Amino acid sequence: MPRFDDSDFGADLAQVRSPRDSRPSVVTTAPVAPDGTIIPIPADAPHLGHRDSDVVEVPATRSSISDAAQYMHNLSLSPSMVDRRSSRNSFGTSLPIPRSPRRSRLSSVVYADGARGIPPVVSRDILASQVQDMAKEKVQAAKNMAFAFDIDGVLAHGNHAIPEAREALKMLNGDNELGIKIPYILLTNGGGKPESERCEQLSQILESPISVDQFIQSHTPMQALAQYYDTVLVLGGEGVKCRGVAQSYGFKAVYTPKDVLAWNQEISPWRCFSEEDRAQSLPVDFSRVKFDAILVFADSRDYATDFQLIIDLLLSENGYLGTRSKNPGAGSIPCYFSQGDMVFPTAYKGPPRMTQGAFRISIEAMYKALTGVDLERVVYGKPELATYKYADEVLKSWMEEIHNENKIPQNVYMVGDNPASDIIGGNMYGWNTCLVRTGVFQGKEGENDPNSPANFGVFDHVLDAVKAAVRKELGKEFKFKWNEKVNPVLHGDGVSAVE
């Protein structure tokens, strides 16, 4: 069971129905800030109105002050399980997530050779089904376990696969003694691209088919926000790809910093604006545009401009650029960040690089310096509860896709490299957690993270973690290769002849 306590939540859990409940669910108790004002979460914003939708709002755990306190709050610098980690979210603000993931599409899987759709039935599939019929207990155990993989630092470094990851995924996709698919999803704090594009890229570099129906980016659950906000400023990512992502989620009017610069370049004194940027932009008269929310989908490529625009809107009068609120510390429009990691691993051989959490803390520090109050903001991604609730729905849907069983496996293994997000989130949600040394964590042999220790173990790489978990669930003698010469008639004891 998840290890979040009722007292951690900023809303009454009794008011939040299960994501599997067919009726819309809304948190009706608005959290209260320390100054006594009501924080406008989507369901409570009177100018928006709550629409009937397939959305559930998951309460976020409370954090009484922002991470910018003293310019670096210890929750971001060292989120320790020993200190009973709280959420990165302000004052218990709830996080809307979709009630269920996108429905499966035949074109959603891209294979390593570029082919799409469902592969033809081959002889191995027929033999595997016969082997599975004679090994029912082991098959049931295989269907009752699942993996949730981080990507950067676990499966890949940038656009380069970690070699052991390819072997691990091939085994989970059926290259094992039963020829059975062991369910897994990809749960990453990365983002900035359409899910389909990222899955196609991963399918190529990992040499295994990755479906959008088993893939969660940091901003994937944020598609639920389209039920509440029409006009949004979306920041981060390459070019204007995040515009397309937001539009695919259903936001009606999506603008980027490049659109604003095309309208008035002087709005950012240290602007970086090329003719290519102008060609990608959609300039309008932004003095007439009322923004409903700020959405940071991915890492900024132009910190100076993005800082300026976010601060401008946070201090504006009702979300209009060029205005200033008479009470700037009261908050103007909500600000959402897709994840809170401070650092992430890249192909760079030195220490991990800064990512969106560092950007967010900078915004918080600027806001506090300008207003004297803490910024109220919402953070998605690991280790927030909403991301894991959504992961449950994706796992259940993926089980139905590959095994025709609409259920969540009991034994879920989170494999990650970042103790501050992958491990602490998995631990608090009751998952088995595996920490690998191929990314952020670089502990020595036999060392676990002292603040957020992995409860299943620490491994050199993802393949070792997968093998250890599979052996625990399916037996120490389970074989990780399919034997092409297997004959289920000759091996009726249920164990395939695997070399």
Side-chain angles (χ1 to χ4, degrees):
M1 294 295 293
R3 297 173 189 170
F4 294 85
D5 299 326
D6 290 359
S7 60
D8 288 332
F9 296 101
D12 186 354
L13 287 180
Q15 295 174 299
V16 184
R17 300 190 185 95
S18 165
R20 300 171 187 84
D21 194 320
S22 61
R23 295 167 294 173
S25 178
V26 181
V27 176
T28 58
T29 301
V32 180
D35 64 0
T37 60
I38 299 296
I39 302 171
I41 61 175
D44 299 294
H47 67 284
L48 296 174
H50 184 70
R51 304 165 188 168
D52 291 336
S53 62
D54 208 19
V55 169
V56 61
E57 291 178 2
V58 179
T61 50
R62 289 181 181 271
S63 176
S64 59
I65 57 177
S66 74
D67 291 342
Q70 300 178 353
Y71 298 105
M72 185 67 72
H73 187 250
N74 61 7
L75 288 183
S76 282
L77 185 63
S78 180
S80 172
M81 286 292 289
V82 177
D83 298 328
R84 190 70 181 102
R85 189 199 188 286
S86 187
S87 169
R88 293 187 173 101
N89 286 298
S90 297
F91 314 116
T93 301
S94 60
L95 284 69
I97 60 170
R99 189 176 298 279
S100 60
R102 295 170 301 276
R103 298 308 307 158
S104 175
R105 297 170 294 280
L106 295 182
S107 61
S108 66
V109 180
V110 182
Y111 295 89
D113 60 2
R116 291 177 177 268
I118 297 178
V121 176
V122 295
S123 58
R124 191 180 88 173
D125 297 325
I126 298 174
L127 290 174
S129 65
Q130 296 172 344
V131 170
Q132 292 165 24
D133 284 342
M134 293 183 290
K136 292 183 178 179
E137 288 187 6
K138 193 175 290 187
V139 167
Q140 189 58 38
K143 291 180 179 180
N144 205 29
M145 69 176 300
F147 290 90
F149 294 114
D150 182 40
I151 297 176
D152 293 313
V154 175
L155 301 180
H157 290 138
N159 293 325
H160 303 283
I162 295 173
E164 292 84 1
R166 290 173 174 166
E167 188 173 348
L169 294 190
K170 287 178 182 177
M171 190 276 291
L172 296 178
N173 283 332
D175 189 10
N176 55 63
E177 71 169 63
L178 294 175
I180 193 171
K181 291 183 178 181
I182 298 176
Y184 66 89
I185 62 172
L186 274 57
L187 182 61
T188 176
N189 271 358
K193 299 178 180 179
E195 283 79 4
S196 58
E197 180 179 335
R198 185 67 170 134
C199 286
E200 184 169 356
Q201 178 190 30
L202 289 169
S203 297
Q204 297 294 328
I205 67 174
L206 294 173
E207 299 178 356
S208 288
I210 304 296
S211 168
V212 296
D213 299 315
Q214 62 184 138
F215 181 69
I216 305 172
Q217 295 188 101
S218 61
H219 49 69
T220 304
M222 292 173 71
Q223 61 190 282
L225 295 173
Q227 297 289 329
Y228 304 99
Y229 305 119
D230 290 335
T231 304
V232 294
L233 179 69
V234 175
L235 304 99
E238 302 172 4
V240 292
K241 287 185 177 181
C242 284
R243 186 205 306 280
V245 174
Q247 289 173 335
S248 72
Y249 290 169
F251 292 98
K252 294 181 179 179
V254 181
Y255 297 107
T256 72
K258 291 182 179 180
D259 302 333
V260 180
L261 287 177
W263 166 66
N264 187 346
Q265 291 189 45
E266 302 306 320
I267 201 168
S268 175
W270 313 117
R271 61 192 175 277
C272 178
F273 195 64
S274 66
E275 288 304 315
E276 181 182 356
D277 292 332
R278 184 175 295 280
Q280 295 176 328
S281 66
L282 299 174
V284 300
D285 183 357
F286 282 100
S287 66
R288 299 175 177 272
V289 173
K290 182 184 184 303
F291 285 96
D292 296 324
I294 302 165
L295 310 179
V296 182
F297 270 11
D299 289 305
S300 170
R301 267 54 170 185
D302 183 358
Y303 268 44
T305 297
D306 291 353
F307 279 156
Q308 187 67 66
L309 293 180
I310 290 175
I311 292 296
D312 280 347
L313 285 177
L314 290 174
L315 302 182
S316 70
E317 186 72 35
N318 296 322
Y320 286 97
L321 282 170
T323 67
R324 275 294 181 268
S325 171
K326 296 179 179 63
N327 185 9
S332 176
I333 64 174
C335 187
Y336 294 86
F337 295 86
S338 68
Q339 56 102 347
D341 286 351
M342 281 286 292
V343 296
F344 78 118
T346 67
Y348 175 60
K349 301 302 182 183
R353 304 290 84 192
M354 293 292 186
T355 185
Q356 194 182 136
F359 178 84
R360 172 181 54 82
I361 289 174
S362 301
I363 293 289
E364 291 175 355
M366 292 179 216
Y367 186 85
K368 180 130 187 201
L370 290 166
T371 67
V373 299
D374 290 320
L375 173 65
E376 297 161 12
R377 72 285 185 270
V378 177
V379 185
Y380 279 79
K382 298 172 292 186
E384 295 301 332
L385 174 62
T387 292
Y388 293 87
K389 288 288 188 183
Y390 186 64
D392 272 352
E393 293 301 300
V394 172
L395 267 173
K396 185 175 71 170
S397 178
W398 189 243
M399 273 290 293
E400 186 173 20
E401 178 78 10
I402 65 174
H403 291 310
N404 199 30
E405 296 183 10
N406 190 267
K407 69 173 188 176
I408 302 171
Q410 289 184 346
N411 304 306
V412 180
Y413 291 82
M414 175 78 223
V415 184
D417 68 298
N418 190 338
S421 57
D422 302 324
I423 303 306
I424 198 169
N427 284 346
M428 292 179 72
Y429 202 56
W431 286 355
N432 304 291
T433 51
C434 309
L435 184 59
V436 295
R437 298 188 182 90
T438 47
V440 170
F441 180 76
Q442 295 290 315
K444 297 178 181 179
E445 186 73 27
E447 289 184 355
N448 207 329
D449 184 79
N451 292 321
S452 305
N455 59 40
F456 187 70
V458 181
F459 304 89
D460 287 337
H461 47 69
V462 64
L463 181 59
D464 282 354
V466 167
K467 284 185 174 180
V470 170
R471 286 181 175 131
K472 178 180 182 295
E473 301 296 336
L474 304 183
K476 294 182 179 179
E477 304 304 318
F478 188 82
K479 298 176 177 62
F480 299 102
K481 290 289 183 182
W482 169 260
N483 184 1
E484 298 294 345
K485 299 179 181 179
V486 64
N487 188 328
V489 175
L490 298 180
H491 301 277
D493 58 357
V495 179
S496 57
V498 182
E499 297 175 354

